[in-house]
């Protein structure tokens, strides 16, 4: 009997289904009648279920508390001199320009790769896709070793670069850029490829019927349509490049002013001047937050496809 | 402009579906392509636009081969002189209306300024110059439709393809746009294909109708004849007629009787023509009122297959067997359902044969009709449109 009744429901009545009405302030009522919110699926503070709220709070604490520690231990009195020191400025400058250049390189070669992965049909595509994402799971140090073995002075490519062009890559700013590009590219490729796969190819067909060749379609239709994802991928890519440590120190070393980026500077500072390390970390933190927040607001949320 | 006749004699495959087609569209003609979902209408347009190659056969426009499976030639979509208005318009969301319309001229080699000038000219011609700076997201359905048409025409195509151009519009806007579209289609010099599943749209806009069902052409002719002599149940339903298929039962010379498939019989006017020439085929009648089967030629052989179309308002409904009337065809039926149409009620009747009959709401009340009611139907022989399948 009453097999269909909900647990806790009284047989023969709906009593168990109904709870007394909850108080709903006018403000919350207004919020819940807004677009995209419904009292049943989302909305106000009170309606976040505890099994979701508690882990979410733990996650925020886990991410934010260590950074709070950084702020708490900051040698505020010595911050000015630490920031103004030639080493810090050099490291920051190097980090910023190498991350930017490597992001540019990722866009120039990564977007076409994303297009090929998303659109071209060829055998071995799953393998290629796996290879492209390899730097995501590979320890960066391993990436650095691999780069060294390939492009180092005795590497199988680097040997010829050295012999024919007199070009020595390792332990140069170029090596920093290459290491960062190697590690950061998957972020861009994966983001853009996903966007290309889910983009409506109907627009590209329409462009074709209007007389556009494939490159025109790519340039004037495909690329603008995935621009928000491209921007998001580029931001991720830049952030990853800025924080790159393992591959850089392996492949490029740590020559102050030449290959010593901010993360490497922090690492070495920690050994002999912890206060300086904290100061440098704070700079990196502020720069990263500023860039992430401003770019997210400007490009990602205010995207052309709404 | 050269003689831009479109010739299609091809099969197009899409997944497990095959569209087989042999059709010629002269320049200036608007061919309405009607058919249920999945009948191959869009597949046809895609093949013409070069978005899908033909599996066999060929497509040519004004003597230029666009696609030829046997010869292995295929003109890319971008190289075809085709304007395509998509069902969902597909206006580029990141470009303004002007940039959307200028896209075709620009892609075909015009400079930026010239392309924009051409776009503005087309926008003015379609009466939407005031939308120039808007993005597609800021357009209403009717506006987007006009922009899509302007964009397709701005490339100066020789062949125009419209895929259900008004299906996304509300009824009111549709009427407005329909009148405009009719004008623009009349101005278009080349062949034009208009895919639709709205029979009214097809009747109003098209010079000729091609009905597709399940990848095959089931009827091809002037709208007036398609509306009068539907070839299949689908077309009959579309144009609102009862359609019966059957075979001639009487001997030559007598008033002809047609035995309807599935039960029932009709006495039809006179006797039916005996030969193919005497009863003009659906593909042979050029225009106007078709020469049905008004008893001109005797000696129709029994067993000949015929179709009979009857207007739902031509059938009279009564609750008693009718007496003293001239109608030759009387049969009992049962009301299975009633649907209120604009100013009348459509009865869904089961009998031998079944029928849809339109009566006034007052008649429904007077005869106290309801589901299950037993009624008598009668129709005059002269109200039957008899023709060859």
């Amino acid at each position: 009997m009453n097999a269909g009744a909900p647990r806790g429901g009284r047989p023969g009545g709906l009593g168990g289904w109904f709870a007394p009405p909850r108080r709903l302030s006018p403000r919350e009522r207004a919020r819940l009648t807004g677009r995209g919110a419904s009292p049943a699926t989302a909305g106000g503070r009170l309606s976040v279920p505890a099994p979701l709220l508690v882990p979410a709070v733990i996650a925020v604490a886990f991410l934010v508390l260590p950074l709070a520690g950084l702020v708490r231990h900051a040698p505020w009195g010595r911050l000015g001199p630490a920031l103004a020191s030639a080493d810090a400025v050099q490291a920051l400058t190097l980090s910023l320009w190498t991350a930017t250049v490597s992001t540019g390189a990722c866009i120039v070669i990564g977007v076409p790769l994303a297009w090929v992965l998303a659109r071209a049909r060829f055998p071995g595509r799953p393998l290629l896709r796996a290879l492209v994402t390899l730097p995501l799971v590979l320890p960066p140090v391993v990436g650095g070793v691999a780069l060294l073995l390939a492009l180092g002075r005795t590497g199988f490519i680097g040997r010829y670069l050295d012999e024919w062009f007199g070009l020595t890559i390792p332990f140069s700013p170029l090596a920093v850029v290459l290491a960062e590009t190697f590690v950061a590219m998957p972020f861009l490729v994966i983001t853009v490829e996903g966007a290309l796969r889910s983009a409506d190819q109907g627009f590209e067909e329409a462009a074709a019927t209007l007389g556009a060749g494939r490159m025109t379609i790519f340039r004037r239709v495909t690329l603008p349509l995935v621009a928000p994802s491209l921007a998001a991928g580029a931001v991720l890519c830049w952030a990853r490049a800025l924080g790159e440590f393992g591959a850089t120190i392996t492949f490029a070393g740590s020559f102050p002013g030449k290959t010593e980026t901010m993360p490497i500077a922090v690492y070495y500072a920690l050994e002999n001047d912890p206060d300086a390390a904290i100061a440098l970390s704070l700079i990196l933190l502020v720069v990263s937050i500023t860039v992430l927040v401003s770019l997210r607001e400007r490009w990602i949320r205010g995207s052309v496809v709404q | 402009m050269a003689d831009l006749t479109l010739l299609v004699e091809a099969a197009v495959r899409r997944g497990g579906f095959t569209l087989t087609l042999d059709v010629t569209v002269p320049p200036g003609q608007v061919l309405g392509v009607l058919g249920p979902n999945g009948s191959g209408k869009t597949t046809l347009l895609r093949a013409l636009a070069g978005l899908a190659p033909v599996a066999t056969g060929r497509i040519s426009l004004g003597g230029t081969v666009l696609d030829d499976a046997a010869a292995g030639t295929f003109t890319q979509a971008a190289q075809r002189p085709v304007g395509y208005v998509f069902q969902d318009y597909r206006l580029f969301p990141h470009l303004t209306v002007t940039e959307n319309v200028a896209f075709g001229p620009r892609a075909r080699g015009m400079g930026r300024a010239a392309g924009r000038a051409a776009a503005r000219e087309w926008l003015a011609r379609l009466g939407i110059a005031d939308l120039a700076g808007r993005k597609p997201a800021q357009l209403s359905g009717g506006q987007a439709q006009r922009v899509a048409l302007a964009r397709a025409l701005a490339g100066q195509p020789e062949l125009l393809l419209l895929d259900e151009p008004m299906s996304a519009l509300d009824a009111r806007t549709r009427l407005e746009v329909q009148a405009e579209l009719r004008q623009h289609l009349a101005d278009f010099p080349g062949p034009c294909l208009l895919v639709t599943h709205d029979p009214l749209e097809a009747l109003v806009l098209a010079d000729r109708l091609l009905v597709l069902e399940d990848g095959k052409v089931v009827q091809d002719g002037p709208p007036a004849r398609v509306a009068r002599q539907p070839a299949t149940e689908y077309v009959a339903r579309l144009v609102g007629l009862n359609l019966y298929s059957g075979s001639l039962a009487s001997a030559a010379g007598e008033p002809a009787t047609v035995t309807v498939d599935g039960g029932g019989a009709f006495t039809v006017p006179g006797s039916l023509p005996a030969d193919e020439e005497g009863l003009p085929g659906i593909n042979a009648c050029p225009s106007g009122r078709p020469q049905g089967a008004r008893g001109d030629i005797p000696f129709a052989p029994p067993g000949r297959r015929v179709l009979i179309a009857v207007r739902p308002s031509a059938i009279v409904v009564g609750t008693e067997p009718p007496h003293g009337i001239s109608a030759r065809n009387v049969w009992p039926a049962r009301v299975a359902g009633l649907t209120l149409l604009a100013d009348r009620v459509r009865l869904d009747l089961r009998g031998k044969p079944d029928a849809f009959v339109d009566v006034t709401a007052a008649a429904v009340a007077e005869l106290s009709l309801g589901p299950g009611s037993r009624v008598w139907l009668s129709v005059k022989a002269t109200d039957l449109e008899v023709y060859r399948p």
Side-chain angles (χ1 to χ4, degrees), chain A residues 113 116-117 120-132 193:
Chain A
L113 172 59
V116 169
L117 286 175
R121 283 188 196 153
F122 54 92
R125 189 169 65 161
L127 183 68
L128 184 62
R129 186 173 290 134
L131 279 177
V132 166
E193 191 207 340

PDB file of all heavy atoms in Angstrom, chain A residues 113 116-117 120-132 193:
ATOM      1  N   LEU A 113      46.868  24.695 -35.340  1.00  0.00           N
ATOM      2  CA  LEU A 113      46.861  23.306 -34.865  1.00  0.00           C
ATOM      3  C   LEU A 113      45.473  22.934 -34.330  1.00  0.00           C
ATOM      4  O   LEU A 113      44.953  21.850 -34.613  1.00  0.00           O
ATOM      5  CB  LEU A 113      47.925  23.127 -33.771  1.00  0.00           C
ATOM      6  CG  LEU A 113      47.915  21.774 -33.047  1.00  0.00           C
ATOM      7  CD1 LEU A 113      48.128  20.636 -34.044  1.00  0.00           C
ATOM      8  CD2 LEU A 113      48.981  21.726 -31.973  1.00  0.00           C
ATOM      9  N   VAL A 116      43.225  22.269 -37.204  1.00  0.00           N
ATOM     10  CA  VAL A 116      43.484  20.961 -37.814  1.00  0.00           C
ATOM     11  C   VAL A 116      42.875  19.852 -36.956  1.00  0.00           C
ATOM     12  O   VAL A 116      42.208  18.939 -37.465  1.00  0.00           O
ATOM     13  CB  VAL A 116      45.000  20.740 -38.002  1.00  0.00           C
ATOM     14  CG1 VAL A 116      45.295  19.293 -38.369  1.00  0.00           C
ATOM     15  CG2 VAL A 116      45.536  21.679 -39.071  1.00  0.00           C
ATOM     16  N   LEU A 117      43.060  19.943 -35.653  1.00  0.00           N
ATOM     17  CA  LEU A 117      42.521  18.911 -34.758  1.00  0.00           C
ATOM     18  C   LEU A 117      40.997  18.900 -34.783  1.00  0.00           C
ATOM     19  O   LEU A 117      40.364  17.851 -34.682  1.00  0.00           O
ATOM     20  CB  LEU A 117      43.000  19.147 -33.325  1.00  0.00           C
ATOM     21  CG  LEU A 117      44.461  18.808 -33.041  1.00  0.00           C
ATOM     22  CD1 LEU A 117      44.821  19.209 -31.614  1.00  0.00           C
ATOM     23  CD2 LEU A 117      44.737  17.333 -33.257  1.00  0.00           C
ATOM     24  N   ALA A 120      40.107  18.895 -39.588  1.00  0.00           N
ATOM     25  CA  ALA A 120      40.679  17.984 -40.576  1.00  0.00           C
ATOM     26  C   ALA A 120      40.407  16.545 -40.153  1.00  0.00           C
ATOM     27  O   ALA A 120      40.313  16.245 -38.961  1.00  0.00           O
ATOM     28  CB  ALA A 120      42.173  18.225 -40.708  1.00  0.00           C
ATOM     29  N   ARG A 121      40.231  15.679 -41.141  1.00  0.00           N
ATOM     30  CA  ARG A 121      40.044  14.262 -40.825  1.00  0.00           C
ATOM     31  C   ARG A 121      41.221  13.487 -41.370  1.00  0.00           C
ATOM     32  O   ARG A 121      41.507  13.529 -42.549  1.00  0.00           O
ATOM     33  CB  ARG A 121      38.752  13.753 -41.463  1.00  0.00           C
ATOM     34  CG  ARG A 121      37.576  14.229 -40.664  1.00  0.00           C
ATOM     35  CD  ARG A 121      36.300  13.590 -41.133  1.00  0.00           C
ATOM     36  NE  ARG A 121      35.208  14.369 -40.583  1.00  0.00           N
ATOM     37  CZ  ARG A 121      34.017  14.462 -41.127  1.00  0.00           C
ATOM     38  NH1 ARG A 121      33.751  13.800 -42.218  1.00  0.00           N
ATOM     39  NH2 ARG A 121      33.088  15.191 -40.577  1.00  0.00           N
ATOM     40  N   PHE A 122      41.918  12.833 -40.479  1.00  0.00           N
ATOM     41  CA  PHE A 122      43.073  12.055 -40.925  1.00  0.00           C
ATOM     42  C   PHE A 122      43.323  10.954 -39.908  1.00  0.00           C
ATOM     43  O   PHE A 122      42.942  11.078 -38.731  1.00  0.00           O
ATOM     44  CB  PHE A 122      44.300  12.960 -41.081  1.00  0.00           C
ATOM     45  CG  PHE A 122      44.634  13.758 -39.848  1.00  0.00           C
ATOM     46  CD1 PHE A 122      45.528  13.262 -38.909  1.00  0.00           C
ATOM     47  CD2 PHE A 122      44.043  14.997 -39.621  1.00  0.00           C
ATOM     48  CE1 PHE A 122      45.833  13.995 -37.773  1.00  0.00           C
ATOM     49  CE2 PHE A 122      44.347  15.729 -38.488  1.00  0.00           C
ATOM     50  CZ  PHE A 122      45.248  15.225 -37.559  1.00  0.00           C
ATOM     51  N   PRO A 123      43.953   9.889 -40.339  1.00  0.00           N
ATOM     52  CA  PRO A 123      44.235   8.820 -39.387  1.00  0.00           C
ATOM     53  C   PRO A 123      45.245   9.308 -38.356  1.00  0.00           C
ATOM     54  O   PRO A 123      46.099  10.131 -38.660  1.00  0.00           O
ATOM     55  CB  PRO A 123      44.832   7.714 -40.263  1.00  0.00           C
ATOM     56  CG  PRO A 123      45.272   8.388 -41.508  1.00  0.00           C
ATOM     57  CD  PRO A 123      44.383   9.576 -41.705  1.00  0.00           C
ATOM     58  N   GLY A 124      45.101   8.821 -37.140  1.00  0.00           N
ATOM     59  CA  GLY A 124      46.053   9.196 -36.101  1.00  0.00           C
ATOM     60  C   GLY A 124      45.700  10.497 -35.420  1.00  0.00           C
ATOM     61  O   GLY A 124      46.500  11.037 -34.653  1.00  0.00           O
ATOM     62  N   ARG A 125      44.505  11.010 -35.685  1.00  0.00           N
ATOM     63  CA  ARG A 125      44.137  12.261 -35.034  1.00  0.00           C
ATOM     64  C   ARG A 125      44.022  12.114 -33.511  1.00  0.00           C
ATOM     65  O   ARG A 125      44.489  12.992 -32.789  1.00  0.00           O
ATOM     66  CB  ARG A 125      42.838  12.809 -35.629  1.00  0.00           C
ATOM     67  CG  ARG A 125      42.535  14.201 -35.132  1.00  0.00           C
ATOM     68  CD  ARG A 125      41.427  14.842 -35.911  1.00  0.00           C
ATOM     69  NE  ARG A 125      40.167  14.136 -35.728  1.00  0.00           N
ATOM     70  CZ  ARG A 125      38.986  14.681 -35.996  1.00  0.00           C
ATOM     71  NH1 ARG A 125      38.921  15.894 -36.478  1.00  0.00           N
ATOM     72  NH2 ARG A 125      37.889  14.001 -35.820  1.00  0.00           N
ATOM     73  N   PRO A 126      43.443  11.003 -33.025  1.00  0.00           N
ATOM     74  CA  PRO A 126      43.387  10.846 -31.564  1.00  0.00           C
ATOM     75  C   PRO A 126      44.776  10.830 -30.935  1.00  0.00           C
ATOM     76  O   PRO A 126      45.000  11.408 -29.874  1.00  0.00           O
ATOM     77  CB  PRO A 126      42.691   9.501 -31.381  1.00  0.00           C
ATOM     78  CG  PRO A 126      41.937   9.279 -32.638  1.00  0.00           C
ATOM     79  CD  PRO A 126      42.736   9.919 -33.717  1.00  0.00           C
ATOM     80  N   LEU A 127      45.720  10.188 -31.645  1.00  0.00           N
ATOM     81  CA  LEU A 127      47.089  10.132 -31.131  1.00  0.00           C
ATOM     82  C   LEU A 127      47.692  11.536 -31.081  1.00  0.00           C
ATOM     83  O   LEU A 127      48.320  11.929 -30.096  1.00  0.00           O
ATOM     84  CB  LEU A 127      47.930   9.212 -32.040  1.00  0.00           C
ATOM     85  CG  LEU A 127      49.372   9.011 -31.583  1.00  0.00           C
ATOM     86  CD1 LEU A 127      49.408   8.218 -30.282  1.00  0.00           C
ATOM     87  CD2 LEU A 127      50.186   8.305 -32.665  1.00  0.00           C
ATOM     88  N   LEU A 128      47.450  12.293 -32.163  1.00  0.00           N
ATOM     89  CA  LEU A 128      47.991  13.647 -32.217  1.00  0.00           C
ATOM     90  C   LEU A 128      47.409  14.495 -31.086  1.00  0.00           C
ATOM     91  O   LEU A 128      48.121  15.270 -30.439  1.00  0.00           O
ATOM     92  CB  LEU A 128      47.667  14.282 -33.571  1.00  0.00           C
ATOM     93  CG  LEU A 128      48.274  15.674 -33.798  1.00  0.00           C
ATOM     94  CD1 LEU A 128      49.791  15.620 -33.758  1.00  0.00           C
ATOM     95  CD2 LEU A 128      47.804  16.263 -35.118  1.00  0.00           C
ATOM     96  N   ARG A 129      46.113  14.314 -30.860  1.00  0.00           N
ATOM     97  CA  ARG A 129      45.474  15.091 -29.802  1.00  0.00           C
ATOM     98  C   ARG A 129      46.095  14.754 -28.446  1.00  0.00           C
ATOM     99  O   ARG A 129      46.344  15.640 -27.625  1.00  0.00           O
ATOM    100  CB  ARG A 129      43.975  14.810 -29.789  1.00  0.00           C
ATOM    101  CG  ARG A 129      43.214  15.677 -28.820  1.00  0.00           C
ATOM    102  CD  ARG A 129      41.722  15.492 -28.954  1.00  0.00           C
ATOM    103  NE  ARG A 129      41.221  16.052 -30.194  1.00  0.00           N
ATOM    104  CZ  ARG A 129      40.382  15.421 -31.001  1.00  0.00           C
ATOM    105  NH1 ARG A 129      39.967  14.221 -30.705  1.00  0.00           N
ATOM    106  NH2 ARG A 129      39.965  15.997 -32.086  1.00  0.00           N
ATOM    107  N   ALA A 130      46.382  13.461 -28.231  1.00  0.00           N
ATOM    108  CA  ALA A 130      47.004  13.044 -26.973  1.00  0.00           C
ATOM    109  C   ALA A 130      48.399  13.662 -26.844  1.00  0.00           C
ATOM    110  O   ALA A 130      48.790  14.144 -25.774  1.00  0.00           O
ATOM    111  CB  ALA A 130      47.089  11.524 -26.919  1.00  0.00           C
ATOM    112  N   LEU A 131      49.139  13.666 -27.951  1.00  0.00           N
ATOM    113  CA  LEU A 131      50.490  14.222 -27.927  1.00  0.00           C
ATOM    114  C   LEU A 131      50.467  15.699 -27.575  1.00  0.00           C
ATOM    115  O   LEU A 131      51.305  16.199 -26.827  1.00  0.00           O
ATOM    116  CB  LEU A 131      51.148  14.050 -29.306  1.00  0.00           C
ATOM    117  CG  LEU A 131      51.735  12.674 -29.593  1.00  0.00           C
ATOM    118  CD1 LEU A 131      52.274  12.621 -31.011  1.00  0.00           C
ATOM    119  CD2 LEU A 131      52.857  12.379 -28.601  1.00  0.00           C
ATOM    120  N   VAL A 132      49.472  16.400 -28.133  1.00  0.00           N
ATOM    121  CA  VAL A 132      49.385  17.838 -27.909  1.00  0.00           C
ATOM    122  C   VAL A 132      49.133  18.153 -26.441  1.00  0.00           C
ATOM    123  O   VAL A 132      49.639  19.133 -25.901  1.00  0.00           O
ATOM    124  CB  VAL A 132      48.277  18.435 -28.805  1.00  0.00           C
ATOM    125  CG1 VAL A 132      47.927  19.839 -28.371  1.00  0.00           C
ATOM    126  CG2 VAL A 132      48.723  18.427 -30.253  1.00  0.00           C
ATOM    127  N   GLU A 193      40.356  24.522 -29.687  1.00  0.00           N
ATOM    128  CA  GLU A 193      39.823  23.356 -30.398  1.00  0.00           C
ATOM    129  C   GLU A 193      38.389  23.073 -29.955  1.00  0.00           C
ATOM    130  O   GLU A 193      37.509  22.810 -30.773  1.00  0.00           O
ATOM    131  CB  GLU A 193      40.699  22.117 -30.150  1.00  0.00           C
ATOM    132  CG  GLU A 193      40.333  20.961 -31.077  1.00  0.00           C
ATOM    133  CD  GLU A 193      40.647  19.603 -30.485  1.00  0.00           C
ATOM    134  OE1 GLU A 193      41.473  19.526 -29.559  1.00  0.00           O
ATOM    135  OE2 GLU A 193      40.037  18.624 -30.942  1.00  0.00           O
TER     136      GLU A 193
END
